[in-house]
Amino acid sequence: MSFAFVFSSLVVLCFLVSLVYALTSCDVVEKTLKETAWSFVLMLGGICILAAIVKILPDILLG
Amino acid sequence: VKKYLVSFSGLLFPGLGHVLMGRFAKGFLLFAVLTGMFVVGVTFDQDYFHRFGISPMGEQFPPIEDRGGSSADEGTIDMIWKYAFTYVFPFITGIGTYVVGFAMRDMVRPLVLTLGLAKDLATVPVTYKDIGYCFALLSGLLNVLVMMDAYDVAYNAELFKDSAQDRREKWLQ
């Protein structure tokens, strides 16, 4: 199982969801691009942080 | 009535509501993104169209007993989800997109082999199938968001007398 493939799928999915969200939220092109970028960073960042917490926290708690 | 028609036109193709309101670029982009997501999804999830053993297109599949299960295992929620997924979800994802994906499935299936993700179509790992399922489901759920936005656009156009005709004329100039 390729981690790169799974992670790149997540990145693509986050980008597409951000793009659709931005398209439905803004009418101006510049604002749409900015909204896409911000929502992409927040969504992917949030998922990565959550994944890290879920993976790391049990190790810390369980020693 | 118009705003409801515009909104529910998304049940045919994603982004159709925006196109009807004269927002061509946005409508076509939404169509491309959501249809692309759905096609990628059904490429990876080889069993998408008969995931629960029944297909809205009238295809026959082995009964659940032949697949190692028992119909007694299916609870009420299972049955509701099975029929909702098979007969309602195609409309949520856009019936046109669904039919195009269904028609193209034999064409796009070998892409999994081209990408080197499996040795043959029968042994595609379940993780890839789940990723595909996620893409296809999300395309439908995002289409609901797009339909709500189309309703909002139509509502505002009605409210501010910003007719679709004006937008079309501006676009054609």
Side-chain angles (χ1 to χ4, degrees):
Chain A
M1 187 57 56
S2 153
F3 172 76
F5 177 77
V6 175
F7 187 71
S8 57
S9 299
L10 177 69
V11 171
V12 170
L13 211 55
C14 284
F15 175 74
L16 293 175
V17 171
S18 307
L19 182 62
V20 173
Y21 160 70
L23 282 170
T24 56
S25 303
C26 318
D27 277 335
V28 188
V29 176
E30 290 80 26
K31 209 177 167 188
T32 306
L33 293 174
K34 205 174 169 182
E35 193 72 23
T36 305
W38 269 111
S39 52
F40 172 72
V41 168
L42 287 172
M43 194 186 305
L44 190 63
I47 289 171
C48 289
I49 289 168
L50 270 176
I53 289 171
V54 168
K55 186 77 182 159
I56 294 166
L57 207 60
D59 292 344
I60 295 169
L61 293 175
L62 301 171
Chain B
V1 176
K2 184 184 164 189
K3 52 184 182 277
Y4 292 109
L5 284 175
V6 165
S7 177
F8 286 115
S9 67
L11 296 176
L12 293 175
F13 281 104
L16 184 59
H18 288 82
V19 172
L20 290 175
M21 288 308 296
R23 303 192 174 201
F24 296 97
K26 192 180 268 195
F28 285 122
L29 191 55
L30 287 168
F31 169 76
V33 168
L34 295 183
T35 304
M37 273 175 87
F38 186 76
V39 171
V40 168
V42 298
T43 304
F44 290 132
D45 186 10
Q46 307 282 308
D47 305 324
Y48 180 81
F49 291 103
H50 53 89
R51 182 166 268 267
F52 296 101
I54 49 172
S55 161
M57 305 299 176
E59 284 193 333
Q60 297 295 316
F61 298 99
I64 192 167
E65 286 77 9
D66 293 355
R67 289 181 279 125
S70 160
S71 47
D73 296 339
E74 287 187 332
T76 312
I77 301 294
D78 291 332
M79 292 291 283
I80 291 171
W81 175 238
K82 176 178 167 176
Y83 288 107
F85 181 84
T86 308
Y87 296 110
V88 180
F89 199 76
F91 291 96
I92 293 173
T93 203
I95 192 73
T97 300
Y98 187 87
V99 171
V100 168
F102 186 80
M104 284 175 64
R105 68 197 165 131
D106 290 332
M107 218 188 302
V108 295
R109 265 179 186 167
L111 284 175
V112 177
L113 305 181
T114 310
L115 291 168
L117 300 176
K119 285 178 184 170
D120 58 79
L121 289 175
T123 58
V124 177
V126 72
T127 309
Y128 296 147
K129 288 184 179 182
D130 284 348
I131 289 171
Y133 189 45
C134 190
F135 267 76
L137 279 186
L138 261 178
S139 120
L141 296 177
L142 287 173
N143 192 30
V144 176
L145 182 72
V146 170
M147 284 193 280
M148 288 163 75
D149 185 54
Y151 174 85
D152 192 46
V153 170
Y155 180 81
N156 283 329
E158 222 170 70
L159 198 66
F160 298 110
K161 310 288 181 200
D162 182 12
S163 70
Q165 190 59 39
D166 291 345
R167 285 184 177 277
R168 281 198 200 93
E169 280 167 9
K170 276 180 203 166
W171 188 79
L172 290 171
Q173 276 171 5

